[in-house]
Amino acid sequence: MDHTERFKGIPMSKAMRAMCKEEDYAFLRSLDERRQVLSDEIQQVQKELEERHEERVQRRHQRERKEKERQRELEEMQKEKQEQWRNQAATRAAAQERALRERADRLKQFRDFQRQVLEEELGLSSGENSKVLEDLLLRI
């Protein structure tokens, strides 16, 4: 209470001094009350800010988790598509190979049939003049 020291030299009546003292105490009490109210408000605002910050952090983490989940799903879909493509390619390759083998077998059967017909028409046995028979088959 510096002001009491400064105003000590001012002549006042006892009643006036008592009133000033009472006013000073009332003013100081109101300051303390305002400080308490402001402190409570500051704490409330800080709490709200912390809650908002925590909510933002949670939303960010949730977005990150969703993004990771979406990326994982995309990767799985790509793997599935690649696997399907490989299976389809393998199936096509197997079908083409089977078709080529069947065609080669039919061609071989036809060549055998041609050889048999030529042997019968020329009257050759399968062992003799095979060179002549091979030349004829190549020309056909």
Side-chain angles (χ1 to χ4, degrees):
M1 295 208 189
D2 288 338
H3 65 283
T4 56
E5 297 292 324
R6 284 193 337 202
F7 296 124
K8 213 178 214 184
I10 300 174
M12 278 191 231
S13 68
K14 285 185 180 181
M16 189 65 145
R17 282 196 193 277
M19 280 178 48
C20 287
K21 197 183 245 185
E22 192 175 313
E23 286 177 1
D24 287 347
Y25 285 126
F27 176 73
L28 291 174
R29 274 193 301 266
S30 71
L31 281 180
D32 286 341
E33 289 172 0
R34 284 185 64 200
R35 279 190 193 130
Q36 185 63 34
V37 168
L38 288 174
S39 174
D40 291 345
E41 288 177 2
I42 288 171
Q43 287 177 353
Q44 182 66 24
V45 168
Q46 285 178 339
K47 185 187 269 187
E48 288 175 5
L49 288 174
E50 288 174 3
E51 288 174 358
R52 287 180 189 165
H53 178 71
E54 186 64 32
E55 287 174 2
R56 284 195 304 270
V57 167
Q58 287 177 357
R59 284 193 305 264
R60 187 180 73 227
H61 288 308
Q62 188 175 11
R63 277 194 309 271
E64 289 172 355
R65 278 188 304 240
K66 285 181 180 180
E67 183 63 25
K68 285 180 183 177
E69 179 68 22
R70 191 177 70 77
Q71 286 288 4
R72 188 184 59 76
E73 288 176 359
L74 285 174
E75 288 173 1
E76 286 179 9
M77 287 175 53
Q78 280 183 329
K79 286 179 183 177
E80 287 177 14
K81 285 181 181 180
Q82 286 177 348
E83 188 64 31
Q84 288 175 353
W85 182 82
R86 285 185 192 130
N87 288 341
Q88 288 175 352
T91 303
R92 276 192 232 120
Q96 285 178 342
E97 188 177 327
R98 187 172 46 252
L100 286 174
R101 269 191 258 119
E102 289 173 357
R103 186 173 176 197
D105 288 344
R106 286 194 307 269
L107 187 60
K108 185 178 178 192
Q109 288 174 356
F110 180 70
R111 286 291 182 181
D112 289 343
F113 173 74
Q114 279 184 326
R115 174 176 278 128
Q116 209 174 25
V117 168
L118 279 175
E119 283 177 355
E120 287 178 11
E121 284 183 359
L122 296 176
L124 299 173
S125 64
S126 58
E128 37 182 77
N129 295 328
S130 61
K131 177 71 174 155
V132 173
L133 193 59
E134 290 296 322
D135 289 341
L136 282 174
L137 285 174
L138 285 175
R139 288 184 194 158
I140 297 177

Coordinates of all heavy atoms in Angstrom, one line a residue, residues 54-119:
E54 N -6.8 -30.9 -29.6 CA -6.9 -32.4 -29.5 C -7.8 -32.9 -30.5 O -7.5 -34.0 -31.2 CB -7.3 -32.8 -28.1 CG -7.3 -34.3 -27.8 CD -6.0 -34.9 -27.9 OE1 -5.0 -34.2 -27.5 OE2 -5.8 -36.1 -28.3
E55 N -8.9 -32.2 -30.8 CA -9.9 -32.7 -31.8 C -9.2 -32.6 -33.2 O -9.4 -33.5 -34.0 CB -11.1 -31.8 -31.8 CG -12.0 -32.0 -30.6 CD -13.2 -31.0 -30.5 OE1 -13.3 -30.1 -31.4 OE2 -14.0 -31.1 -29.6
R56 N -8.5 -31.5 -33.4 CA -7.8 -31.4 -34.7 C -6.8 -32.5 -34.9 O -6.7 -33.1 -36.0 CB -7.1 -30.0 -34.8 CG -8.0 -28.9 -35.1 CD -7.3 -27.6 -35.6 NE -6.3 -27.2 -34.7 CZ -6.4 -26.3 -33.6 NH1 -7.6 -25.8 -33.4 NH2 -5.4 -26.0 -32.9
V57 N -6.1 -32.8 -33.8 CA -5.1 -33.9 -33.9 C -5.8 -35.2 -34.2 O -5.3 -36.0 -35.0 CB -4.2 -33.9 -32.6 CG1 -3.4 -35.2 -32.5 CG2 -3.3 -32.7 -32.5
Q58 N -6.9 -35.5 -33.5 CA -7.6 -36.7 -33.7 C -8.1 -36.8 -35.1 O -8.1 -37.8 -35.7 CB -8.8 -36.8 -32.7 CG -8.3 -37.1 -31.3 CD -9.5 -37.2 -30.3 OE1 -10.6 -36.9 -30.6 NE2 -9.2 -37.5 -29.0
R59 N -8.7 -35.7 -35.6 CA -9.2 -35.7 -37.0 C -8.1 -35.9 -38.0 O -8.2 -36.7 -39.0 CB -9.9 -34.4 -37.3 CG -11.3 -34.2 -36.7 CD -12.1 -33.1 -37.3 NE -11.4 -31.8 -37.2 CZ -11.6 -30.9 -36.3 NH1 -12.4 -31.1 -35.3 NH2 -10.9 -29.7 -36.3
R60 N -6.9 -35.3 -37.7 CA -5.8 -35.5 -38.6 C -5.3 -37.0 -38.6 O -5.1 -37.6 -39.6 CB -4.6 -34.6 -38.2 CG -3.4 -34.7 -39.2 CD -2.3 -33.8 -38.8 NE -1.6 -34.4 -37.7 CZ -1.2 -33.8 -36.6 NH1 -1.4 -32.5 -36.5 NH2 -0.6 -34.4 -35.6
H61 N -5.3 -37.6 -37.4 CA -4.9 -39.0 -37.3 C -5.9 -39.9 -38.0 O -5.5 -40.8 -38.7 CB -4.7 -39.4 -35.8 CG -3.5 -38.9 -35.2 ND1 -2.2 -39.0 -35.7 CD2 -3.4 -38.2 -34.0 CE1 -1.4 -38.4 -34.9 NE2 -2.0 -37.9 -33.8
Q62 N -7.2 -39.5 -37.8 CA -8.2 -40.3 -38.5 C -8.1 -40.2 -40.0 O -8.2 -41.2 -40.7 CB -9.6 -39.8 -38.0 CG -10.7 -40.7 -38.5 CD -12.0 -40.2 -37.9 OE1 -12.2 -39.1 -37.3 NE2 -13.1 -41.0 -38.1
R63 N -7.8 -39.0 -40.5 CA -7.6 -38.8 -42.0 C -6.4 -39.6 -42.4 O -6.5 -40.2 -43.5 CB -7.4 -37.3 -42.3 CG -8.7 -36.5 -42.4 CD -8.4 -35.2 -43.1 NE -7.3 -34.4 -42.5 CZ -7.4 -33.5 -41.5 NH1 -8.6 -33.3 -41.0 NH2 -6.4 -32.9 -41.1
E64 N -5.4 -39.6 -41.7 CA -4.2 -40.3 -42.0 C -4.5 -41.8 -42.1 O -4.0 -42.5 -43.0 CB -3.0 -40.0 -41.1 CG -2.4 -38.7 -41.2 CD -1.4 -38.3 -40.1 OE1 -1.3 -39.1 -39.2 OE2 -0.8 -37.2 -40.2
R65 N -5.2 -42.3 -41.0 CA -5.6 -43.7 -41.0 C -6.4 -44.1 -42.2 O -6.2 -45.1 -42.9 CB -6.3 -44.1 -39.7 CG -5.4 -44.3 -38.5 CD -6.3 -44.9 -37.4 NE -7.3 -43.9 -37.1 CZ -7.5 -43.3 -36.0 NH1 -6.8 -43.5 -35.0 NH2 -8.5 -42.4 -35.8
K66 N -7.4 -43.2 -42.5 CA -8.3 -43.5 -43.7 C -7.4 -43.5 -45.0 O -7.7 -44.3 -45.9 CB -9.4 -42.4 -43.8 CG -10.5 -42.6 -42.8 CD -11.6 -41.6 -42.9 CE -12.7 -41.8 -41.9 NZ -13.7 -40.8 -42.1
E67 N -6.5 -42.5 -45.1 CA -5.7 -42.5 -46.3 C -4.8 -43.7 -46.4 O -4.7 -44.3 -47.5 CB -4.8 -41.2 -46.2 CG -3.9 -41.0 -47.4 CD -4.7 -40.8 -48.7 OE1 -5.9 -40.3 -48.6 OE2 -4.2 -41.1 -49.8
K68 N -4.2 -44.2 -45.3 CA -3.4 -45.4 -45.3 C -4.3 -46.6 -45.7 O -3.9 -47.4 -46.5 CB -2.8 -45.7 -43.9 CG -1.6 -44.8 -43.7 CD -1.0 -45.0 -42.3 CE 0.1 -44.1 -42.0 NZ 0.6 -44.3 -40.6
E69 N -5.5 -46.6 -45.1 CA -6.4 -47.7 -45.5 C -6.8 -47.7 -47.0 O -6.8 -48.7 -47.6 CB -7.7 -47.6 -44.6 CG -8.7 -48.7 -44.9 CD -8.3 -50.1 -44.4 OE1 -7.4 -50.2 -43.6 OE2 -8.8 -51.0 -45.0
R70 N -7.0 -46.5 -47.5 CA -7.4 -46.4 -48.9 C -6.2 -46.8 -49.8 O -6.3 -47.5 -50.8 CB -7.8 -44.9 -49.2 CG -8.4 -44.7 -50.6 CD -8.8 -43.3 -50.8 NE -7.7 -42.3 -50.9 CZ -7.0 -42.2 -52.0 NH1 -7.2 -42.9 -53.0 NH2 -6.0 -41.3 -52.0
Q71 N -5.0 -46.4 -49.4 CA -3.8 -46.8 -50.1 C -3.6 -48.3 -50.1 O -3.3 -48.9 -51.1 CB -2.5 -46.1 -49.5 CG -2.4 -44.6 -49.8 CD -2.0 -44.4 -51.2 OE1 -2.0 -45.2 -52.1 NE2 -1.9 -43.1 -51.5
R72 N -3.8 -48.9 -48.9 CA -3.7 -50.3 -48.8 C -4.7 -51.0 -49.7 O -4.4 -52.0 -50.4 CB -3.9 -50.8 -47.3 CG -3.6 -52.2 -47.1 CD -3.8 -52.6 -45.7 NE -5.2 -52.4 -45.3 CZ -6.2 -53.2 -45.6 NH1 -6.1 -54.2 -46.4 NH2 -7.5 -52.9 -45.2
E73 N -5.9 -50.5 -49.7 CA -7.0 -51.1 -50.6 C -6.6 -50.9 -52.0 O -6.8 -51.9 -52.8 CB -8.3 -50.4 -50.3 CG -8.9 -50.8 -48.9 CD -10.2 -50.1 -48.6 OE1 -10.6 -49.2 -49.5 OE2 -10.8 -50.3 -47.6
L74 N -6.1 -49.8 -52.4 CA -5.7 -49.6 -53.8 C -4.6 -50.6 -54.2 O -4.6 -51.1 -55.3 CB -5.2 -48.1 -54.0 CG -6.3 -47.1 -54.1 CD1 -5.7 -45.7 -54.1 CD2 -7.2 -47.3 -55.3
E75 N -3.6 -50.7 -53.3 CA -2.5 -51.7 -53.5 C -3.0 -53.1 -53.7 O -2.6 -53.8 -54.6 CB -1.5 -51.6 -52.4 CG -0.6 -50.3 -52.4 CD 0.3 -50.2 -51.2 OE1 0.3 -51.1 -50.4 OE2 1.0 -49.2 -51.2
E76 N -4.0 -53.5 -52.8 CA -4.6 -54.8 -52.9 C -5.3 -55.0 -54.2 O -5.2 -56.0 -54.9 CB -5.5 -55.0 -51.7 CG -4.9 -55.3 -50.4 CD -5.8 -55.5 -49.3 OE1 -7.1 -55.6 -49.5 OE2 -5.4 -55.5 -48.1
M77 N -6.1 -53.9 -54.6 CA -6.8 -54.0 -55.9 C -5.8 -54.1 -57.0 O -6.1 -54.9 -58.0 CB -7.7 -52.8 -56.1 CG -8.9 -52.7 -55.2 SD -9.8 -51.2 -55.3 CE -10.1 -51.0 -57.0
Q78 N -4.7 -53.4 -57.0 CA -3.7 -53.5 -58.1 C -3.1 -54.9 -58.1 O -2.9 -55.5 -59.2 CB -2.6 -52.5 -57.9 CG -2.9 -51.1 -58.3 CD -1.8 -50.1 -58.2 OE1 -0.9 -50.3 -57.3 NE2 -1.7 -49.2 -59.0
K79 N -2.8 -55.4 -56.9 CA -2.3 -56.8 -56.8 C -3.3 -57.8 -57.4 O -2.9 -58.7 -58.1 CB -1.9 -57.2 -55.4 CG -0.6 -56.5 -54.9 CD -0.3 -56.9 -53.5 CE 0.9 -56.1 -53.0 NZ 1.2 -56.4 -51.6
E80 N -4.5 -57.6 -57.0 CA -5.6 -58.5 -57.6 C -5.7 -58.4 -59.1 O -5.8 -59.5 -59.8 CB -6.9 -58.2 -56.9 CG -7.0 -58.6 -55.5 CD -8.4 -58.2 -54.9 OE1 -9.3 -57.9 -55.6 OE2 -8.5 -58.3 -53.6
K81 N -5.7 -57.2 -59.6 CA -5.7 -57.0 -61.0 C -4.5 -57.6 -61.7 O -4.7 -58.3 -62.8 CB -5.8 -55.5 -61.4 CG -7.2 -54.9 -61.1 CD -7.2 -53.5 -61.5 CE -8.6 -52.9 -61.2 NZ -8.6 -51.4 -61.6
Q82 N -3.3 -57.4 -61.1 CA -2.1 -58.0 -61.7 C -2.2 -59.6 -61.7 O -1.9 -60.2 -62.7 CB -0.9 -57.6 -61.0 CG -0.5 -56.2 -61.3 CD 0.7 -55.7 -60.4 OE1 1.1 -56.4 -59.5 NE2 1.3 -54.6 -60.8
E83 N -2.7 -60.1 -60.6 CA -2.9 -61.5 -60.5 C -3.9 -62.0 -61.5 O -3.7 -63.1 -62.2 CB -3.3 -61.9 -59.1 CG -3.3 -63.4 -58.8 CD -1.9 -64.0 -58.9 OE1 -0.9 -63.3 -58.6 OE2 -1.9 -65.2 -59.3
Q84 N -5.0 -61.3 -61.7 CA -6.0 -61.7 -62.7 C -5.4 -61.6 -64.1 O -5.6 -62.5 -64.9 CB -7.2 -60.8 -62.6 CG -8.1 -61.0 -61.4 CD -9.2 -60.0 -61.3 OE1 -9.3 -59.0 -62.1 NE2 -10.1 -60.2 -60.3
W85 N -4.6 -60.6 -64.3 CA -4.0 -60.4 -65.6 C -3.0 -61.6 -65.9 O -3.0 -62.2 -67.0 CB -3.3 -59.1 -65.7 CG -2.7 -58.9 -67.1 CD1 -3.3 -58.4 -68.2 CD2 -1.3 -59.1 -67.4 NE1 -2.4 -58.3 -69.2 CE2 -1.2 -58.8 -68.8 CE3 -0.2 -59.6 -66.7 CZ2 0.0 -58.9 -69.5 CZ3 1.0 -59.7 -67.4 CH2 1.1 -59.4 -68.8
R86 N -2.2 -61.9 -64.9 CA -1.3 -63.0 -65.0 C -2.0 -64.3 -65.3 O -1.6 -65.1 -66.1 CB -0.5 -63.2 -63.7 CG 0.6 -62.1 -63.6 CD 1.5 -62.4 -62.4 NE 2.3 -61.2 -62.1 CZ 2.4 -60.6 -61.0 NH1 1.8 -61.1 -59.9 NH2 3.2 -59.6 -60.8
N87 N -3.1 -64.5 -64.5 CA -3.9 -65.8 -64.7 C -4.5 -65.8 -66.1 O -4.5 -66.9 -66.8 CB -5.0 -65.9 -63.7 CG -4.5 -66.2 -62.3 OD1 -3.4 -66.7 -62.2 ND2 -5.3 -65.9 -61.3
Q88 N -5.0 -64.7 -66.6 CA -5.6 -64.6 -67.9 C -4.5 -64.9 -69.0 O -4.7 -65.6 -70.0 CB -6.3 -63.3 -68.2 CG -7.6 -63.1 -67.4 CD -8.1 -61.7 -67.6 OE1 -7.5 -60.8 -68.2 NE2 -9.4 -61.5 -67.1
A89 N -3.4 -64.2 -68.8 CA -2.2 -64.4 -69.7 C -1.8 -65.9 -69.7 O -1.5 -66.4 -70.8 CB -1.1 -63.5 -69.4
A90 N -1.7 -66.5 -68.5 CA -1.3 -67.9 -68.5 C -2.3 -68.8 -69.1 O -2.0 -69.7 -69.8 CB -1.1 -68.2 -67.0
T91 N -3.6 -68.5 -68.9 CA -4.7 -69.2 -69.5 C -4.6 -69.1 -71.0 O -4.7 -70.1 -71.7 CB -6.0 -68.8 -69.0 OG1 -6.1 -68.8 -67.6 CG2 -7.2 -69.6 -69.6
R92 N -4.4 -67.9 -71.5 CA -4.3 -67.7 -73.0 C -3.1 -68.4 -73.5 O -3.2 -69.1 -74.6 CB -4.2 -66.2 -73.3 CG -5.6 -65.6 -73.4 CD -5.5 -64.2 -74.0 NE -6.1 -63.3 -73.1 CZ -5.5 -62.2 -72.5 NH1 -4.3 -61.9 -72.7 NH2 -6.2 -61.5 -71.6
A93 N -2.0 -68.3 -72.8 CA -0.8 -69.0 -73.3 C -1.0 -70.5 -73.3 O -0.5 -71.2 -74.3 CB 0.4 -68.6 -72.4
A94 N -1.6 -71.0 -72.3 CA -1.8 -72.5 -72.2 C -2.8 -72.9 -73.4 O -2.6 -73.9 -74.0 CB -2.4 -72.8 -70.9
A95 N -3.8 -72.1 -73.6 CA -4.8 -72.4 -74.7 C -4.1 -72.3 -76.0 O -4.3 -73.2 -76.9 CB -5.9 -71.4 -74.6
Q96 N -3.2 -71.3 -76.3 CA -2.5 -71.2 -77.5 C -1.5 -72.4 -77.7 O -1.4 -73.0 -78.8 CB -1.7 -69.9 -77.6 CG -2.6 -68.7 -77.8 CD -1.8 -67.4 -77.8 OE1 -0.6 -67.4 -77.3 NE2 -2.3 -66.4 -78.4
E97 N -0.8 -72.7 -76.6 CA 0.1 -73.9 -76.6 C -0.7 -75.2 -76.9 O -0.2 -76.0 -77.8 CB 0.8 -74.0 -75.3 CG 2.0 -75.0 -75.3 CD 2.7 -75.0 -74.0 OE1 2.8 -73.9 -73.4 OE2 3.2 -76.1 -73.6
R98 N -1.8 -75.4 -76.3 CA -2.6 -76.6 -76.5 C -3.1 -76.6 -78.0 O -3.0 -77.6 -78.7 CB -3.8 -76.6 -75.6 CG -4.6 -77.8 -75.6 CD -5.7 -77.9 -74.5 NE -6.5 -76.7 -74.4 CZ -6.3 -75.8 -73.3 NH1 -5.5 -76.1 -72.4 NH2 -7.1 -74.7 -73.3
A99 N -3.5 -75.4 -78.5 CA -4.0 -75.3 -79.9 C -2.8 -75.6 -80.8 O -3.0 -76.4 -81.8 CB -4.6 -74.0 -80.2
L100 N -1.7 -75.1 -80.5 CA -0.5 -75.4 -81.4 C -0.1 -76.9 -81.4 O 0.2 -77.5 -82.4 CB 0.7 -74.6 -81.0 CG 0.6 -73.1 -81.3 CD1 1.8 -72.3 -80.7 CD2 0.6 -72.9 -82.8
R101 N -0.2 -77.5 -80.2 CA 0.1 -78.9 -80.1 C -0.9 -79.8 -80.9 O -0.6 -80.7 -81.6 CB 0.1 -79.4 -78.6 CG 1.5 -79.3 -78.0 CD 1.6 -80.0 -76.7 NE 1.5 -78.9 -75.6 CZ 0.6 -78.8 -74.7 NH1 -0.4 -79.7 -74.6 NH2 0.6 -77.8 -73.9
E102 N -2.2 -79.4 -80.7 CA -3.2 -80.1 -81.5 C -3.0 -79.9 -83.0 O -3.2 -80.9 -83.7 CB -4.6 -79.6 -81.0 CG -5.0 -80.0 -79.6 CD -6.3 -79.3 -79.2 OE1 -6.9 -78.5 -80.0 OE2 -6.8 -79.6 -78.1
R103 N -2.7 -78.7 -83.4 CA -2.5 -78.5 -84.8 C -1.3 -79.3 -85.3 O -1.3 -79.9 -86.4 CB -2.2 -77.0 -85.0 CG -2.1 -76.6 -86.4 CD -2.0 -75.1 -86.6 NE -1.8 -74.7 -87.9 CZ -1.4 -73.5 -88.3 NH1 -1.2 -72.6 -87.4 NH2 -1.3 -73.3 -89.6
A104 N -0.2 -79.3 -84.5 CA 1.0 -80.1 -84.8 C 0.7 -81.6 -84.9 O 1.1 -82.3 -85.8 CB 2.1 -79.8 -83.8
D105 N -0.2 -82.1 -84.0 CA -0.6 -83.5 -84.0 C -1.4 -83.7 -85.3 O -1.2 -84.8 -85.9 CB -1.4 -83.8 -82.8 CG -0.6 -83.9 -81.5 OD1 0.7 -84.0 -81.6 OD2 -1.1 -83.8 -80.4
R106 N -2.3 -82.8 -85.6 CA -3.2 -83.0 -86.8 C -2.3 -83.0 -88.1 O -2.5 -83.8 -89.0 CB -4.2 -82.0 -86.9 CG -5.4 -82.1 -85.9 CD -6.6 -81.2 -86.3 NE -6.2 -79.8 -86.4 CZ -6.2 -78.9 -85.5 NH1 -6.6 -79.3 -84.3 NH2 -5.9 -77.7 -85.7
L107 N -1.3 -82.1 -88.1 CA -0.4 -82.0 -89.2 C 0.4 -83.3 -89.3 O 0.6 -83.8 -90.4 CB 0.5 -80.8 -89.1 CG 1.4 -80.5 -90.2 CD1 0.6 -80.2 -91.5 CD2 2.3 -79.3 -89.9
K108 N 0.9 -83.8 -88.2 CA 1.7 -85.0 -88.2 C 0.8 -86.2 -88.7 O 1.2 -87.0 -89.5 CB 2.2 -85.3 -86.8 CG 3.1 -86.5 -86.8 CD 3.7 -86.7 -85.4 CE 4.5 -88.0 -85.4 NZ 4.9 -88.4 -84.1
Q109 N -0.4 -86.2 -88.2 CA -1.4 -87.3 -88.7 C -1.6 -87.2 -90.2 O -1.6 -88.2 -90.9 CB -2.7 -87.2 -87.9 CG -2.6 -87.6 -86.5 CD -4.0 -87.4 -85.8 OE1 -4.9 -86.8 -86.3 NE2 -4.0 -87.8 -84.5
F110 N -1.8 -85.9 -90.7 CA -2.0 -85.7 -92.1 C -0.8 -86.2 -92.9 O -0.9 -86.8 -93.9 CB -2.3 -84.3 -92.4 CG -2.6 -84.0 -93.8 CD1 -3.7 -84.4 -94.4 CD2 -1.7 -83.2 -94.5 CE1 -3.9 -84.2 -95.8 CE2 -1.9 -83.0 -95.9 CZ -3.0 -83.4 -96.5
R111 N 0.5 -85.8 -92.4 CA 1.7 -86.2 -93.1 C 1.8 -87.7 -93.1 O 2.2 -88.3 -94.1 CB 2.9 -85.6 -92.4 CG 3.1 -84.1 -92.7 CD 3.5 -84.0 -94.1 NE 3.7 -82.6 -94.4 CZ 4.0 -82.1 -95.5 NH1 4.2 -82.9 -96.6 NH2 4.2 -80.8 -95.7
D112 N 1.5 -88.3 -92.0 CA 1.5 -89.8 -91.9 C 0.5 -90.4 -92.9 O 0.8 -91.4 -93.6 CB 1.2 -90.3 -90.5 CG 2.3 -90.0 -89.5 OD1 3.4 -89.8 -90.0 OD2 2.1 -90.1 -88.3
F113 N -0.7 -89.8 -93.0 CA -1.7 -90.2 -93.9 C -1.2 -90.0 -95.4 O -1.3 -90.9 -96.2 CB -3.0 -89.4 -93.7 CG -4.0 -89.7 -94.7 CD1 -4.7 -90.9 -94.7 CD2 -4.3 -88.8 -95.7 CE1 -5.7 -91.2 -95.7 CE2 -5.3 -89.1 -96.7 CZ -6.0 -90.3 -96.7
Q114 N -0.6 -88.9 -95.7 CA 0.0 -88.7 -97.0 C 1.1 -89.7 -97.3 O 1.1 -90.2 -98.4 CB 0.6 -87.3 -97.1 CG -0.4 -86.2 -97.3 CD 0.4 -84.8 -97.5 OE1 1.4 -84.6 -96.9 NE2 -0.2 -84.0 -98.3
R115 N 1.9 -90.0 -96.4 CA 3.0 -91.0 -96.6 C 2.4 -92.3 -96.9 O 2.8 -93.0 -97.8 CB 3.9 -91.0 -95.4 CG 4.9 -92.2 -95.5 CD 5.9 -92.2 -94.3 NE 6.9 -91.2 -94.5 CZ 7.2 -90.2 -93.7 NH1 6.7 -90.2 -92.5 NH2 8.2 -89.4 -94.0
Q116 N 1.4 -92.7 -96.2 CA 0.7 -94.0 -96.3 C 0.1 -94.0 -97.7 O 0.2 -95.1 -98.4 CB -0.4 -94.1 -95.3 CG -0.7 -95.5 -94.9 CD -1.6 -95.5 -93.7 OE1 -2.4 -94.6 -93.5 NE2 -1.6 -96.5 -92.9
V117 N -0.6 -93.0 -98.1 CA -1.3 -92.9 -99.4 C -0.2 -93.0 -100.5 O -0.4 -93.8 -101.5 CB -2.1 -91.7 -99.6 CG1 -2.6 -91.5 -101.0 CG2 -3.3 -91.7 -98.7
L118 N 0.9 -92.3 -100.4 CA 1.9 -92.3 -101.4 C 2.6 -93.7 -101.5 O 2.9 -94.2 -102.6 CB 3.0 -91.3 -101.1 CG 2.7 -89.9 -101.6 CD1 3.8 -88.9 -101.1 CD2 2.6 -89.8 -103.1
E119 N 2.8 -94.3 -100.3 CA 3.4 -95.7 -100.3 C 2.5 -96.6 -101.1 O 2.9 -97.5 -101.8 CB 3.6 -96.1 -98.9 CG 4.8 -95.5 -98.2 CD 5.0 -96.0 -96.8 OE1 4.1 -96.7 -96.3 OE2 6.0 -95.5 -96.2

